[in-house]
């Protein structure tokens, strides 16, 4: 049927789709722009899932309705309860009035002007990686997804904890990875079982305090205790240095509300853990896909190399270089369009709503398929083409604000988006000044939709030292 909303005509489709199969395929295949649940002509698809309605919405106007205009009618769905158990209560997992209050307090810490003070901390880890790569000669293979995961964890750790603790994130890196993979397994279960949030919280509390657990749950608890104790140890040490604010942790500890009260230390811990665990994973995957796209689009890569050589030459980058690295930044932004790290946004309707004349009952689940929205030819001409020019200054304003969602959208857009873009531009420029990266012939490249969108088999690449680089 067709439902009219003003001048816009929206097609609403109710296909015969098995909800359990859809949930399974969401993680197994996950990335359909068409098919039973994502028909290319349907902007709203209604499914029945565990006897409850589930809606897939893909028109930017409808997306904007859910994420911005009627955001108070929607909450993060039950899958986020796993992340809350792992990460604690942060801007990523908080809701309602508590989220609004803390976003007002913490948002300025991650604003672009404040990040200039962290830039030098972000440069050092890239220099260390280049020194390591230089030992491998002028041509060698590397697993790019693993390299980007390690590097972004190092960069985040340096920016968060400062130079004196720059190796801390690397030391707990295996625990960070294990924690994220454990959260992915739990999220798959929640997606299919769809239990009440209160039950998930009760189970998480039982896991934290139970003296005896199955091996997998016991391992997960040990992983999280290691991360928790490490972050708490740094916070405790830092309290002995009041007033220090030359890294992100110092900035969080310096936050004060209107009455002069600091953030509770538990909140500082949760924000720091979230920034370290979730922040590095998404950027690492986006960078991995960007290197793959540059390798398969030599014209775009040659333009990037020319820009990097002109702007940086042989010197160390500074924060003021970023505006001049417009094409480099655009390559990262376009990579996130084609392979968005967060490939969907799930929500739960908590107050009954209406989208374009279609009733959304209280308790319904709503999924925004970012991957499909980013490849919709109505909003993106030649959507399968890698075209960084879409994101050059001025051009980015031509698309609907809810047609590009790598950091989410609306009021809950990711507070760390400026950090991620600055980090990615810096890493791309510094690595490209020294090396080019090409695909290993015949190596399979396939996206896998888990908590984030990453290469299923990794990404084997050949690094070649650029002539004249030093």
């Amino acid at each position: 049927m067709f439902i009219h909303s003003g001048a816009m005509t929206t097609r609403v489709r109710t296909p015969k789709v098995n909800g359990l199969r859809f949930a399974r395929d969401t993680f197994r295949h996950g990335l359909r722009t068409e098919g039973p649940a994502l028909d290319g002509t349907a902007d709203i698809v209604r499914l029945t899932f565990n006897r409850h309605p589930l809606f897939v919405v893909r028109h930017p106007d409808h997306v904007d309705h859910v994420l911005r205009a009627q955001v108070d009618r929607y909450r993060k769905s039950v899958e986020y309860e796993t992340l809350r158990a792992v990460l604690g209560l942060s801007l990523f997992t908080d809701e309602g009035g508590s989220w609004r209050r803390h976003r007002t307090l913490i948002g300025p810490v991650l604003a672009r002007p404040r990040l200039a003070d962290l830039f030098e901390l972000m440069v050092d880890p890239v220099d260390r990686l280049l020194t390591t790569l230089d030992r491998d000669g002028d041509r060698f293979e590397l697993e790019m997804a693993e390299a980007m995961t390690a590097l972004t964890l190092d960069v985040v750790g340096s920016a968060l904890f400062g130079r004196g603790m720059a190796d801390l994130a690397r030391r707990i890196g295996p625990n960070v990875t294990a924690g994220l993979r454990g959260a992915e397994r739990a999220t798959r279960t929640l997606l299919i079982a769809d239990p009440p949030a209160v039950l998930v919280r009760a189970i998480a509390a039982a896991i934290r305090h139970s003296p005896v657990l199955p091996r997998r749950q016991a391992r997960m608890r040990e992983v999280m205790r290691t991360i928790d104790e490490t972050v708490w140890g740094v916070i405790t040490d830092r309290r002995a240095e009041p007033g220090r604010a030359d890294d992100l942790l110092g900035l969080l500890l310096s936050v004060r509300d209107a009455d002069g009260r600091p953030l509770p230390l538990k909140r500082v811990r949760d924000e720091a853990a979230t920034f370290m665990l979730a922040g590095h994973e998404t950027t690492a995957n986006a960078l991995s896909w960007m290197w793959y796209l540059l390798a398969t689009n030599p014209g775009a890569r040659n333009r990037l190399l020319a820009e990097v050589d002109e702007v940086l030459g042989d010197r160390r980058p500074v924060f003021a270089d970023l505006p001049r690295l417009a094409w480099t930044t655009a390559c990262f932004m376009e990579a996130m369009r084609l392979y968005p790290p967060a490939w969907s946004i799930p929500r739960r309707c908590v107050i009954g709503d209406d989208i374009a004349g279609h009733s959304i009952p209280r308790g319904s689940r709503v999924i925004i398929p970012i991957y499909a929205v980013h490849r919709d030819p109505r909003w993106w001409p030649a959507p399968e083409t890698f075209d960084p020019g879409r994101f050059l200054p001025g051009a980015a304003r031509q698309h609907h604000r809810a047609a590009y969602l790598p950091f989410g959208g609306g009021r809950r857009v990711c507070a760390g988006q400026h950090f991620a873009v600055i980090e990615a531009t810096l890493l791309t420029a510094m690595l490209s000044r020294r090396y080019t990266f090409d695909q290993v012939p015949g190596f399979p490249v396939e996206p896998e939709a888990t908590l984030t969108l990453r290469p299923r088999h990794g990404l084997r690449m050949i690094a070649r030292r650029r002539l004249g680089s030093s």
Side-chain angles (χ1 to χ4, degrees):
M1 68 178 166
F2 290 85
I3 291 178
H4 298 268
S5 176
M8 179 182 64
T9 300
T10 299
R11 185 175 180 192
V12 181
R13 188 165 174 265
T14 308
K16 294 180 179 179
V17 176
N18 181 283
L20 182 60
R21 185 178 302 157
F22 174 68
R24 180 197 65 196
D25 290 350
T26 296
F27 273 105
R28 182 175 296 173
H29 309 296
L31 309 172
R32 300 174 177 171
T33 55
E34 294 188 9
L38 290 178
D39 187 304
T41 65
D43 289 319
I44 303 177
V45 178
R46 186 185 191 278
L47 312 175
T48 298
F49 181 76
N50 280 359
R51 299 184 301 278
H52 297 291
L54 181 151
F55 297 86
V56 181
V57 299
R58 59 181 287 168
H59 194 290
D61 287 349
H62 303 156
V63 172
D64 206 52
H65 177 97
V66 172
L67 298 182
R68 188 183 302 270
Q70 298 297 327
V71 64
D72 292 332
R73 294 177 179 267
Y74 298 89
R75 294 289 178 92
K76 293 196 169 187
S77 60
V78 69
E79 298 95 288
Y80 287 90
E81 292 300 326
T82 301
L83 297 172
R84 184 186 294 221
V86 171
L87 302 173
L89 194 62
S90 66
L91 291 180
F92 186 57
T93 58
D94 205 354
E95 294 280 10
S98 174
W99 174 84
R100 284 190 289 271
R101 176 176 177 271
H102 285 94
R103 179 61 185 257
T104 300
L105 292 173
I106 297 170
V109 169
L110 293 169
R112 187 179 175 89
R114 297 297 296 271
L115 297 178
D117 298 332
L118 305 179
F119 190 78
E120 282 296 313
L121 296 175
M122 299 163 72
V123 173
D124 290 341
V126 192
D127 270 339
R128 285 196 295 270
L129 175 63
L130 287 169
T131 299
T132 300
L133 294 180
D134 286 346
R135 301 185 188 124
D136 293 327
D138 293 336
R139 184 188 185 280
F140 54 90
E141 286 191 18
L142 80 163
E143 211 303 302
M144 183 61 81
E146 289 182 1
M148 290 300 99
T149 297
L151 178 56
T152 55
L153 185 59
D154 202 3
V155 171
V156 168
S158 182
L160 183 58
F161 301 123
R163 285 191 176 90
M165 303 294 291
D167 65 338
L168 181 145
R170 291 197 303 277
R171 293 202 310 269
I172 64 172
N175 288 290
V176 170
T177 300
L180 288 169
R181 299 297 89 82
E184 286 170 359
R185 290 191 294 269
T187 300
R188 287 189 181 98
T189 302
L190 292 178
L191 181 65
I192 295 172
D194 194 25
V198 65
L199 177 60
V200 179
R201 292 173 189 170
I203 293 173
I207 291 175
R208 282 196 297 269
H209 303 295
S210 176
V212 180
L213 288 171
R215 179 179 298 179
R216 178 174 287 181
Q217 284 74 21
R219 168 59 179 156
M220 184 66 176
R221 182 170 67 182
E222 186 59 31
V223 163
M224 296 319 302
R225 280 181 175 172
T226 300
I227 295 172
D228 195 49
E229 290 170 2
T230 301
V231 176
W232 270 120
V234 178
I235 291 174
T236 300
D237 291 343
R238 187 62 59 84
R239 292 183 69 192
E241 302 178 65
R244 176 180 169 184
D246 57 354
D247 55 32
L248 188 55
L249 180 59
L251 291 174
L252 288 171
L253 288 169
S254 71
V255 168
R256 295 293 184 272
D257 65 15
D259 297 320
R261 293 172 298 194
L263 291 174
L265 289 181
K266 176 64 165 59
R267 186 73 188 216
V268 173
R269 176 267 174 209
D270 292 349
E271 296 292 352
T274 299
F275 190 77
M276 182 170 61
L277 270 73
H280 90 280
E281 171 91 351
T282 50
T283 306
N285 287 325
L287 282 166
S288 298
W289 289 117
M290 183 202 67
W291 294 119
Y292 162 71
L293 290 165
L294 288 172
T296 55
N297 291 272
R301 184 172 71 180
N302 289 339
R303 182 170 174 178
L304 184 150
L305 297 176
E307 178 180 84
V308 167
D309 291 345
E310 178 183 353
V311 173
L312 297 184
D314 293 327
R315 63 175 174 79
R316 184 181 175 93
V318 295
F319 188 78
D321 292 324
L322 293 172
R324 300 176 60 205
L325 292 168
W327 183 259
T328 306
T329 302
C331 288
F332 178 68
M333 303 295 280
E334 173 71 344
M336 289 194 295
R337 184 188 67 81
L338 285 167
Y339 296 100
W343 52 275
S344 71
I345 300 175
R347 290 289 187 264
R348 175 83 66 181
C349 180
V350 295
I351 301 174
D353 195 15
D354 179 283
I355 300 179
H358 196 67
S359 176
I360 311 294
R362 179 176 179 270
S364 302
R365 300 179 78 181
V366 175
I367 293 179
I368 299 167
I370 297 175
Y371 184 92
V373 174
H374 282 190
R375 291 172 181 250
D376 192 320
R378 292 176 295 176
W379 331 122
W380 302 100
E384 303 297 325
T385 300
F386 179 65
D387 179 11
R390 307 180 205 263
F391 294 97
L392 288 175
R397 298 186 181 91
Q398 295 175 10
H399 63 257
H400 193 297
R401 66 184 178 187
Y404 184 66
L405 303 160
F407 299 106
R411 291 189 232 164
R412 297 210 58 148
V413 67
C414 177
Q417 62 175 322
H418 296 301
F419 183 96
V421 174
I422 290 170
E423 175 189 15
T425 302
L426 170 67
L427 269 58
T428 302
M430 291 184 69
L431 291 173
S432 295
R433 186 173 60 176
R434 192 80 56 90
Y435 293 97
T436 58
F437 302 98
D438 292 293
Q439 288 181 273
V440 170
F443 188 83
V445 179
E446 178 187 356
E448 180 183 21
T450 59
L451 281 180
T452 55
L453 182 61
R454 63 172 183 258
R456 183 184 295 273
H457 309 290
L459 193 60
R460 296 293 303 178
M461 303 199 82
I462 301 169
R464 291 184 175 86
R465 184 76 172 260
R466 295 183 63 200
L467 294 176
S469 64
S470 59

